[in-house]
Amino acid sequence: MTAIVAGADGGGTRTRVALASVEGRLLGIGEAGSGNYHDVGSAGFAANLNLALERARVAAGCAAQPLAAIFLGLGSIVTPEDKAAIRAVVEVAPWAPRDRIGVDHDLRIAHQGCLGGREGIVIIAGTGSSCYGRDAEGRCWKSGGWGPTLDDVGSGHWLGLQAMIAATREFDGRGPATKLTPAVLAGLSLESPLHLLARVELDGMTRSEIAELARLVVAEAEQGDAVARGIIDAGVAELAELAATVSHRLAFDDVLLRIPVAATGGLVDAGEAFLGPLRAALAARLPKAELVAGQAPPVLGAVLLAIEMLAPTCDPQALLARLQSPPAVETRRPAPAPSGPRPSLSE
């Protein structure tokens, strides 16, 4: 029987699990609800992980069998206590042998997927923002990722917040005229900037709702709005600062002729309206940086890390090539997250 490994990518919205042979043949991918155990609790997380795994098995057309290894990259992993809590869930199931269970933050699997095991830096620019680098010796450094109150500079949430601030400043007469004002009001179904305060403070806009406004910033920047362009320029300058900090900590400037920097996340999907300014910001702050396209999604990065637990000397680039040229597999859509205890922890 062929040994099967699993890679899991868990965020606030969904959990993705990919199954593959240890030789690197992708077998199937399944999805379920939230992979953030702070949001859905340990029981809810376990249920979603199990559901995504079962859907991956169905997509692969393979019977249930013990996994040879599993690696989980989760957005809710911040502290050693977080890692221990997730390991406890997986060990109790059990999904794989205890010494073949890997748990880390989602930046690790994003780096592995984007750069395929090569040294370099990955920038996450989605609802939140963060940056992670890893060198050839396995030394790593993380910068950013402190959440919307303390950080998340250059993220979708940050751009959306700046759009609302720009609207209030124009209304006051403290800021320049901008097409962001009518765009934000229309996007939130508000009649006047006077209603913004209640929408944000009293109604309680979620982090994701604020991040949705980032698309308005990108759209207006593409149409030439100076304020929107200024917001994007300020945001990518902060992201470039994250990358420069990671590069300095890992001494990339001293040892590399070029520093591969991959970007992933929802803002990257906006294309050149975002990537162009990011490329320019990196050139100004980290001249050796080269913005490269990510090779594979984070869930395949998790698969690579699972395989490496079994075959430490494997060739990540060769495995990634095989993982991305499989027969067509069916991907299941997310299901509603099972209810479970909700610890009083922020995401």
Side-chain angles (χ1 to χ4, degrees):
M1 186 178 295
T2 301
I4 294 178
V5 303
D9 174 19
T13 301
R14 67 176 181 176
T15 302
R16 299 187 80 202
V17 171
L19 294 177
S21 70
V22 72
E23 296 81 18
R25 183 167 64 92
L26 182 62
L27 302 175
I29 298 175
E31 296 184 6
S34 174
N36 189 317
Y37 89 102
H38 293 318
D39 288 344
V40 298
S42 295
F45 167 75
N48 284 338
L49 179 62
N50 186 62
L51 182 57
L53 177 58
E54 289 308 308
R55 286 174 170 169
R57 292 189 191 280
V58 171
C62 63
Q65 70 180 76
L67 297 171
I70 184 172
F71 195 98
L72 302 96
L74 309 175
S76 52
I77 297 297
V78 179
T79 66
E81 291 78 13
D82 292 331
K83 284 187 180 182
I86 295 300
R87 285 194 64 88
V89 168
V90 180
E91 288 175 0
V92 166
W95 276 286
R98 295 182 118 193
D99 61 344
R100 293 293 183 267
I101 298 171
V103 180
D104 211 338
H105 47 67
D106 55 352
L107 279 163
R108 176 79 185 281
I109 63 172
H111 185 280
Q112 191 76 357
C114 283
L115 296 175
R118 296 176 298 158
E119 60 186 347
I121 296 170
V122 64
I123 294 172
I124 304 290
T127 300
S129 67
S130 53
C131 185
Y132 176 80
R134 197 173 186 87
D135 68 12
E137 284 72 46
R139 295 187 308 129
C140 57
W141 193 262
K142 173 180 174 291
S143 184
W146 294 96
T149 301
L150 298 177
D151 195 29
D152 275 356
V153 291
S155 67
H157 176 273
W158 188 88
L159 264 64
L161 185 61
Q162 301 311 306
M164 290 190 288
I165 290 173
T168 62
R169 292 182 69 85
E170 179 191 3
F171 187 77
D172 274 358
R174 289 183 292 157
T178 171
K179 291 182 179 178
L180 284 173
T181 299
V184 166
L185 295 179
L188 297 177
S189 300
L190 300 177
E191 295 181 1
S192 162
L194 291 172
H195 297 105
L196 271 173
L197 181 61
R199 182 70 176 86
V200 174
E201 298 288 346
L202 301 181
D203 296 344
M205 286 183 73
T206 66
R207 184 184 181 200
S208 296
E209 287 173 332
I210 294 173
E212 275 294 309
L213 299 177
R215 62 184 174 80
L216 304 179
V217 179
V218 173
E220 296 304 333
E222 288 181 314
Q223 295 301 313
D225 185 83
V227 173
R229 283 182 172 177
I231 290 172
I232 290 179
D233 287 343
V236 296
E238 294 284 1
L239 296 176
E241 180 68 22
L242 294 180
T245 300
V246 169
S247 177
H248 174 71
R249 286 287 184 168
L250 296 176
F252 280 159
D253 268 335
D254 298 332
V255 299
L256 297 179
L257 294 177
R258 55 179 285 274
I259 304 168
V261 178
T264 186
L267 286 176
V268 176
D269 296 336
E272 280 302 305
F274 181 79
L275 291 177
L278 177 59
R279 193 177 292 111
L282 285 169
R285 185 63 183 83
L286 188 62
K288 287 187 177 182
E290 180 181 351
L291 190 62
V292 300
Q295 293 180 248
V299 71
L300 294 189
V303 169
L304 282 179
L305 291 168
I307 293 174
E308 285 183 0
M309 285 192 284
L310 298 169
T313 60
C314 65
D315 181 348
Q317 290 291 318
L319 283 170
L320 200 58
R322 286 199 290 273
L323 283 168
Q324 295 195 97
S325 55
V329 294
E330 181 181 359
T331 301
R332 303 294 176 174
R333 300 305 304 164
S339 60
R342 297 173 63 89
S344 57
L345 298 172
S346 61
E347 182 179 350

